[in-house]
């Protein structure tokens, strides 16, 4: 499967507050994960799918939090993809620290500045498939924050540029 070129996205979500009824309770942490298994499923209704490793932090979070975001990364954002794909990485709070993002109105998820496209989604269905969970999300909003540059792709185990 390393011979199948894929686009690269950053899937993000915000953990819910520990106590939603208490306005003084600590806000949950932002979580991000690089993904190459992401695709459009349907235009009507607008649905997308992302594949998550079973038991990963994002898999666990999206089992509880139905709202999430996707940023389609540009070729200039290779460092972001690498940062959120590291094994044994530092806390997600530190990973977001110096990255430009806006918080989605519908999902509350961080949406990366300079991305080719951003989506906000609500989980419609999950399917267990081997050691992964396929999460199908309804697109709540879509934006095109940047028209500059080409897409970041992943091929033969490395991030690549088209052309």
């Amino acid at each position: 499967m390393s011979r199948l070129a894929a686009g690269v996205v950053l899937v993000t979500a915000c953990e819910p507050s520990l106590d939603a009824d208490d306005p003084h309770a600590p806000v949950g942490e932002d979580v991000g994960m690089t993904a190459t298994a992401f695709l459009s499923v349907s235009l009507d209704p607008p649905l997308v799918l992302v594949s998550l490793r079973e038991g990963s932090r994002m898999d666990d979070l999206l089992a509880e939090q139905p709202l999430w975001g996707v940023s389609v990364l540009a070729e200039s954002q290779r460092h972001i993809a690498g940062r959120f794909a590291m094994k044994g990485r530092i806390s997600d709070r530190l990973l977001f620290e110096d990255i430009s993002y806006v918080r989605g109105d519908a999902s509350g998820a961080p949406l990366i500045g300079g991305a080719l496209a951003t989506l906000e989604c609500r989980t419609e269905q999950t399917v267990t498939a081997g050691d992964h969970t396929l999460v199908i999300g309804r697109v709540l909003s879509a934006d095109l924050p940047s028209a500059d540059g080409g897409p970041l792709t992943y091929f033969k185990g490395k991030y690549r540029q088209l052309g």
Side-chain angles (χ1 to χ4, degrees):
M1 295 310 297
S2 70
R3 300 295 174 134
L4 177 63
V8 182
V9 301
L10 186 67
V11 179
T12 55
C14 183
E15 286 181 322
S17 171
L18 296 176
D19 184 355
D21 296 327
D22 180 0
H24 302 293
V27 177
E29 188 174 60
D30 291 327
V31 177
M33 181 200 90
T34 302
T36 56
F38 176 79
L39 59 104
S40 172
V41 173
S42 168
L43 292 176
D44 188 19
L47 300 173
V48 294
L49 178 147
V50 65
S51 179
L52 307 174
R53 185 177 37 81
E54 192 173 70
S56 68
R57 184 164 185 208
M58 188 62 73
D59 183 41
D60 292 343
L61 176 55
L62 292 190
E64 296 178 21
Q65 164 62 287
L67 299 172
W68 43 283
V70 175
S71 299
V72 178
L73 298 180
E75 59 195 0
S76 63
Q77 296 177 312
R78 177 184 303 208
H79 65 288
I80 295 172
R83 179 183 293 192
F84 284 90
M86 288 187 308
K87 292 184 195 277
R89 63 190 198 197
I90 58 176
S91 80
D92 284 67
R93 180 182 54 78
L94 296 175
L95 293 177
F96 281 103
E97 200 166 74
D98 62 346
I99 294 175
S100 171
Y101 67 87
V102 297
R103 197 158 295 284
D105 290 334
S107 66
L111 303 170
I112 304 304
L116 296 178
T118 58
L119 307 170
E120 292 183 273
C121 304
R122 181 183 63 242
T123 300
E124 291 276 313
Q125 181 180 359
T126 60
V127 177
T128 300
D131 61 359
H132 278 65
T133 302
L134 306 179
V135 180
I136 299 170
R138 180 179 295 257
V139 177
L140 303 174
S141 73
D143 193 22
L144 304 173
S146 176
D148 295 335
L152 181 61
T153 59
Y154 194 73
F155 180 68
K156 291 173 62 177
K158 295 183 181 175
Y159 296 113
R160 312 276 181 154
Q161 294 174 285
L162 290 182

